[in-house]
Amino acid sequence: MRKKIVAGNWKMNKNLQDGIELAKQVNQQVLGNNVTVILCTPFIHLSEVSKVISKDSLFLGAENCASEASGAYTGEVSAEMIKSTGATHVIIGHSERRAYYNEDNKTLNKKVKLALENELTPIFCCGEVLAERESGKHISVVKQQIEEGIFDLSPEQFSKVVIAYEPVWAIGTGVVASPEQAQEMHKVIRHLITEKYGKDAAGNTSILYGGSCKPSNAKELFDKPDVDGGLIGGASLNADDFMGIVNAF
Ligand code: 13P
């Protein structure tokens, strides 16, 4: 059966010292929990955070990776480098990367494949902006992101991918999707996977919700049958809030 996952996305927050402190706090509280808990941190934090977490209960991820394997790409960080820090996961295609750094589905597809080649679990993000939802295009937008981003993977590769549905209008706004809105889209995504890779693959794929998820609203979201956890921004910057979400399961 698919995993329950709560992943924190620190985005561009916390200097190195504060990040290590936060990771230590989460690490202390997370022991013994049956949810897969992941901290996705800025690149420079990875190797230090890796040293202070217990790898059997708390996992480490990056927030992005380069779309090329290695070479003359000043300022980029490769999937192989991420792997060498002890990280196991990488967020790919976050809406902030799509919007501010022009990352399109073709580029993201390359990143997903490089992550997989380096034995990192891609957390592939999708989600519509408000205008797309209001004009009734939200499902076709997400469908296209998924089809172009990850549907040319082999079944074996696809089985290693985690999907995060993050409606852009809910990210950092305090406007969380209703449990029904989340469930509707997660069900659509699982149906797409069934059509492409079959029922077993669909049943085994973890689909996370992201966007203004907090301890106070996590339970009703996670109670929905196709919501397998969360990708958490703001509330992951405080250990108690983050663990409040983990413990909502
Ligand atoms: P918030 O939880 O701050 O809305 O951010 C969600 C997100 O973008 C996680 O990747």
Side-chain angles (χ1 to χ4, degrees), residues 2-3 5 7 38 89-93 98 112 121-127 142-143 145-147 149-151 153 157-166 185-194 197 201-202 204-210 226-231:
R2 57 186 177 265
K3 290 188 179 119
I5 300 173
I38 308 163
H89 293 71
V90 56
I91 298 171
I92 292 177
R98 292 176 186 265
V112 167
T121 299
I123 302 174
F124 182 79
C125 300
C126 56
V142 168
K143 184 169 185 262
Q145 290 170 339
I146 289 184
E147 285 177 350
I150 51 180
F151 269 12
L153 299 177
Q157 287 174 315
F158 186 82
S159 70
K160 308 211 166 86
V161 174
V162 171
I163 295 175
Y165 168 57
E166 300 204 302
M185 187 64 85
H186 285 226
K187 195 174 169 192
V188 166
I189 294 169
R190 206 175 300 285
H191 180 69
L192 291 172
I193 301 168
T194 305
Y197 292 102
N204 287 330
T205 303
S206 297
I207 307 176
L208 316 183
Y209 166 80
D226 288 300
V227 178
D228 306 313
L231 182 54

Side-chain angles (χ1 to χ4, degrees), residues 8 24 31 83 102-103 122 125 168 171 190 192 223 228 231:
K24 282 182 182 168
L31 292 174
K83 179 71 181 178
N102 299 321
E103 296 191 359
C125 300
V168 180
I171 295 178
R190 206 175 300 285
L192 291 172
D223 275 349
D228 306 313
L231 182 54

Side-chain angles (χ1 to χ4, degrees), residues 7-11 13 91 94-96 123 125 164 166-176 209-214 230-237 245:
N9 173 9
W10 291 0
K11 307 192 179 182
N13 294 295
I91 298 171
H94 192 280
S95 64
E96 289 147 20
I123 302 174
C125 300
E166 300 204 302
V168 180
W169 47 270
I171 295 178
T173 58
V175 182
V176 64
Y209 166 80
S212 298
C213 188
K214 300 184 180 60
L231 182 54
I232 317 300
S236 73
L237 298 174
I245 295 173

